[in-house]
Amino acid sequence: MLPTPDTSHVPYQRVYEPAEDSFLLLDTLSSPSETSFLTSRFSNQQPAPLILEVGPGSGVVIAFLTANAHTIFGTSNLLTLAIDVNRYACTSTLQTVSRAITDSPQQQQQQQQQQQQQQQQQQQPESQSAGTGTGTFLTPLQGDLTTPLRKNQVDVLVFNPPYVPTDELPSPPPPTTTTKSKGDTFAQDSHLLELSYAGGKDGMETTNKLIDSLPTVLSDRGVAYILLCAQNKPDEVKERIRAWEYPLPLSSSSLPTGTTAETEKNRYSWKAETVGFSGKQAGWEKLQIVRIWRDFA
């Protein structure tokens, strides 16, 4: 079992604390079926894949993926990135990833091998070096969903969205916050936590916004992992995605350079399958992880 990153430094009064949904993502992404899928997709690919978590909160998931890159993706030649509207989440994520890389058994083994190589002046056998290596974490960005990125750059997107149904969505936080009293601080902290769980109608307003952007966010080889609860109507979500044609919508601004809608729309189909399932809670709290990707077969 791969170690769970340490998040003891995270200010949970302002940042979402890892819970069942977070751990379901860790279990799913490190499961034999998903590591096999991801390894076959990225282990021998160039350029280095870009792994993005939207809304990392404490950073436990992106830290886990970065620290265990070779085990999960079959390569340590990858870049990881995180985007969150909460600036405290960005700070926490950076710390969590840094600690996870330092504490990673893979990193420690790799450092030991490098020391042995320097001492012995000879290359270690491939069988001993295989399975070591962490990815390279770029930075946490403060932003709304994927807006800071260029189109079609993301190879793996992970999103644990605000999925709880609420009457309305909370407003985005300002880039910086100035507090004047304990009451102000409490209200601001409560608002930051609300951003992590309040999903609006059916708990899907933020999630739908991100899902609808996937054709212009994911690369051709890209895959997204999105967490949903039962009240998000995951079966309907999957059917909607499977009915997509490329591009969405049929506009020249959505097309790769040098292509047309007619040449693109038959190149592939969109797939959406449940690959992780909590199976523990009743009602809307029952959770699942949906994998979304292009199938060129």
Side-chain angles (χ1 to χ4, degrees), residues 120-194:
Q120 299 173 3
Q121 293 298 306
Q122 64 182 21
Q123 186 176 3
Q124 292 285 347
E126 182 179 354
S127 60
Q128 294 183 25
S129 62
T132 64
T134 60
T136 300
F137 184 66
L138 296 176
T139 187
L141 298 174
Q142 185 177 6
D144 180 23
L145 300 178
T146 62
T147 52
L149 303 181
R150 292 184 297 174
K151 293 197 304 182
N152 303 113
Q153 298 297 306
V154 178
D155 296 302
V156 178
L157 184 149
V158 180
F159 188 32
N160 182 0
Y163 56 80
V164 177
T166 54
D167 291 337
E168 59 183 7
L169 289 177
S171 59
T176 58
T177 302
T178 301
T179 59
K180 297 182 179 180
S181 68
K182 291 184 178 180
D184 289 339
T185 300
F186 178 79
Q188 291 168 0
D189 290 349
S190 298
H191 180 249
L192 290 173
L193 289 179
E194 187 182 12

Side-chain angles (χ1 to χ4, degrees), residues 163-280:
Y163 56 80
V164 177
T166 54
D167 291 337
E168 59 183 7
L169 289 177
S171 59
T176 58
T177 302
T178 301
T179 59
K180 297 182 179 180
S181 68
K182 291 184 178 180
D184 289 339
T185 300
F186 178 79
Q188 291 168 0
D189 290 349
S190 298
H191 180 249
L192 290 173
L193 289 179
E194 187 182 12
L195 286 165
S196 70
Y197 70 81
K201 183 179 179 182
D202 293 330
M204 286 295 293
E205 290 189 41
T206 300
T207 306
N208 278 333
K209 184 178 178 181
L210 182 130
I211 288 176
D212 289 343
S213 74
L214 288 179
T216 56
V217 170
L218 295 179
S219 66
D220 276 357
R221 61 182 179 174
V223 54
Y225 291 91
I226 298 180
L227 185 141
L228 301 174
C229 72
Q231 198 162 335
N232 299 152
K233 303 175 183 177
D235 288 339
E236 293 183 13
V237 173
K238 288 183 286 187
E239 287 303 315
R240 175 164 62 91
I241 293 169
R242 291 166 186 157
W244 282 355
E245 292 182 353
Y246 186 89
L248 289 177
L250 289 173
S251 64
S252 58
S253 62
S254 303
L255 289 164
T257 303
T259 64
T260 66
E262 287 303 313
T263 59
E264 285 296 300
K265 69 179 182 180
N266 294 320
R267 289 178 62 211
Y268 55 79
S269 60
W270 283 94
K271 302 293 185 182
E273 301 293 344
T274 297
V275 295
F277 184 63
S278 65
K280 296 179 181 179

Side-chain angles (χ1 to χ4, degrees), residues 277-289:
F277 184 63
S278 65
K280 296 179 181 179
Q281 303 294 329
W284 66 266
E285 291 182 334
K286 189 175 293 183
L287 305 174
Q288 61 179 270
I289 308 296

